[in-house]
Amino acid sequence: DVKVTQSSRYLVKRTGEKVFLECVQDMDHENMFWYRQDPGLGLRLIYFSYDVKMKEKGDIPEGYSVSREKKERFSLILESASTNQTSMYLCASRPPAGHTEAFFGQGTRLTVV
Amino acid sequence: DAKTTQPPSMDCAEGRAANLPCNHSTISGNEYVYWYRQIHSQGPQYIIHGLKNNETNEMASLIITEDRKSSTLILPHATLRDTAVYYCIVRVVTNAGNMLTFGGGTRLMVKP
């Protein structure tokens, strides 16, 4: 089974801290995604990557950056965390070709205080 | 990008069919309709996808209208475990690859 693992289930950080959210997948997928999920707003795409060192902005990239140094790992970085970045963060991966499903991690609930 | 519109919530009696509608009136000819669901405290889970023909798998059936402007996900015998938020999304293809854009979804409550 495909496994997408996010490093933390719950995280509490202070305003202004640099925060790293890590995601690892074990199926050699080229495409990886970071979403945030907020009540009433559904899932919104932050960034995605279609290959190592490649990245594309999603719908709400402001305040975030990403890193894809290895194929299996896609990191989301909050350079200076703010309270409005308190949210559930979801990572997903999928192969590039064909109409295949995306596999999601369990999510990281980040609280910025 | 094609957008989808879904009712925010629906109820369904346990054992009955749950019919979840989705409007995607601006869908392009080569875009597929995908359905995912998210059970509380878990990541989204793939259910089914289709282009223009009706599709069925072990989880659900997908009915797409002839003009492709809307579709319906059918859970034939809903169980309490089907309580979840259901997302209807349209596959967006960019120059760089494929990404999934989620809308608000429908919160399905299956009641005993």
Side-chain angles (χ1 to χ4, degrees):
Chain A
D1 284 351
V2 175
K3 200 165 185 182
V4 179
T5 305
Q6 295 183 227
S7 53
S8 304
R9 200 66 201 275
Y10 299 95
L11 213 51
V12 180
K13 295 291 181 181
R14 294 192 182 279
T15 301
E17 274 194 79
K18 190 169 186 176
V19 182
F20 292 86
L21 301 184
E22 305 287 348
C23 176
V24 177
Q25 50 96 1
D26 64 2
M27 281 300 290
D28 205 35
H29 287 169
E30 283 80 357
N31 290 351
M32 295 188 74
F33 308 81
W34 274 107
Y35 293 85
R36 65 176 282 178
Q37 184 173 31
D38 302 286
L41 297 176
L43 275 76
R44 293 180 292 167
L45 182 65
I46 305 172
Y47 267 97
F48 72 100
S49 168
Y50 55 92
D51 203 350
V52 174
K53 296 191 186 295
M54 306 305 289
K55 60 185 179 183
E56 289 283 338
K57 292 180 180 179
D59 297 322
I60 50 163
E62 296 79 20
Y64 303 94
S65 62
V66 290
S67 173
R68 184 102 181 262
E69 295 298 318
K70 293 185 178 181
K71 194 174 186 180
E72 66 270 19
R73 186 180 296 271
F74 191 35
S75 303
L76 180 70
I77 303 157
L78 287 66
E79 294 290 341
S80 178
S82 63
T83 54
N84 62 14
Q85 292 178 310
T86 291
S87 185
M88 169 69 82
Y89 290 88
L90 288 155
C91 173
S93 77
R94 68 181 299 171
H99 298 279
T100 55
E101 62 183 284
F103 296 87
F104 284 81
Q106 291 285 78
T108 296
R109 184 164 293 283
L110 172 67
T111 302
V112 182
V113 298
Chain B
D1 295 352
K3 304 292 185 193
T4 62
T5 305
Q6 299 175 254
S9 64
M10 288 182 65
D11 289 346
C12 177
E14 189 178 17
R16 298 282 192 164
N19 297 288
L20 294 98
C22 179
N23 287 323
H24 31 79
S25 57
T26 59
I27 191 170
S28 299
N30 60 349
E31 290 180 314
Y32 281 61
V33 179
Y34 280 72
W35 283 84
Y36 282 75
R37 74 179 183 184
Q38 187 175 23
I39 295 170
H40 183 62
S41 298
Q42 297 182 20
Q45 174 194 22
Y46 166 84
I47 302 173
I48 199 168
H49 74 272
L51 179 64
K52 54 184 178 181
N53 296 323
N54 298 338
E55 301 289 342
T56 296
N57 63 19
E58 65 278 4
M59 289 182 69
S61 295
L62 175 60
I63 309 298
I64 302 174
T65 58
E66 195 168 337
D67 63 9
R68 302 212 322 125
K69 292 185 177 181
S70 65
S71 60
T72 301
L73 179 75
I74 301 172
L75 307 178
H77 305 286
T79 70
L80 299 180
R81 294 185 180 192
D82 291 323
T83 292
V85 178
Y86 287 78
Y87 294 99
C88 166
I89 60 178
V90 172
R91 174 83 168 259
V92 177
V93 178
T94 70
N95 290 335
N98 302 325
M99 60 181 183
L100 300 172
T101 302
F102 286 77
T106 296
R107 182 174 295 279
L108 175 68
M109 179 73 71
V110 180
K111 297 184 174 179

